[in-house]
Amino acid sequence: KFSGGFGFFMNEFWADKSKFRFWLFQGAFCATGATIVSGAMAERTQLKGFALYTCLMTSFIYPIVVYWGWSGSGFLYYHDDAGESKSVVGPAFIDFAGSGLVHLTGGVGALCGAIIV
């Protein structure tokens, strides 16, 4: 799977209220990735350009990257004969408190933004 298959646009969130809490928690991580980009592009872009870049990153790029790393069933995973999810590249990715993927996404976004500007 490339980007998952459930929870788009808060689908079925009213059935289980704990999904709102998880969404808010993940939103804080997403906003952190966006602030890394803002530090690299500060005073080099207009506000509307930065807003467009941040919307693109937080709406499409960040959710796909963290799905690949945190879901256990992302792009580089397959199911073996026993039905268990296995990684193509070896042991599963372990990300302490989410810092690896958040900073990876923000750092690569910042690098791309700085190169473009």
Side-chain angles (χ1 to χ4, degrees), residues 29-72:
F29 283 123
C30 189
T32 302
T35 59
I36 294 170
V37 174
S38 72
M41 296 171 50
E43 299 180 7
R44 294 178 183 91
T45 60
Q46 293 183 355
L47 183 60
K48 58 186 170 186
F50 173 69
L52 179 66
Y53 193 80
T54 302
C55 286
L56 176 70
M57 185 178 150
T58 57
S59 299
F60 298 104
I61 298 169
Y62 182 84
I64 290 172
V65 171
V66 298
Y67 175 77
W68 287 355
W70 289 338
S71 71

Side-chain angles (χ1 to χ4, degrees), residues 2-115:
F2 186 75
S3 64
F6 61 91
F8 289 107
F9 301 108
M10 299 178 131
N11 187 23
E12 299 179 6
F13 272 41
W14 292 106
D16 183 10
K17 301 294 191 279
S18 66
K19 290 182 180 181
F20 284 107
R21 191 174 344 146
F22 182 72
W23 180 84
L24 184 65
F25 184 70
Q26 291 298 323
F29 283 123
C30 189
T32 302
T35 59
I36 294 170
V37 174
S38 72
M41 296 171 50
E43 299 180 7
R44 294 178 183 91
T45 60
Q46 293 183 355
L47 183 60
K48 58 186 170 186
F50 173 69
L52 179 66
Y53 193 80
T54 302
C55 286
L56 176 70
M57 185 178 150
T58 57
S59 299
F60 298 104
I61 298 169
Y62 182 84
I64 290 172
V65 171
V66 298
Y67 175 77
W68 287 355
W70 289 338
S71 71
S73 59
F75 181 61
L76 297 175
Y77 284 86
Y78 68 95
H79 293 286
D80 63 3
D81 294 334
E84 294 183 24
S85 181
K86 299 287 185 178
S87 175
V88 173
V89 294
F93 178 69
I94 298 173
D95 189 11
F96 178 71
S99 61
L101 287 176
V102 172
H103 287 90
L104 168 81
T105 308
V108 171
L111 177 65
C112 292
I115 289 171

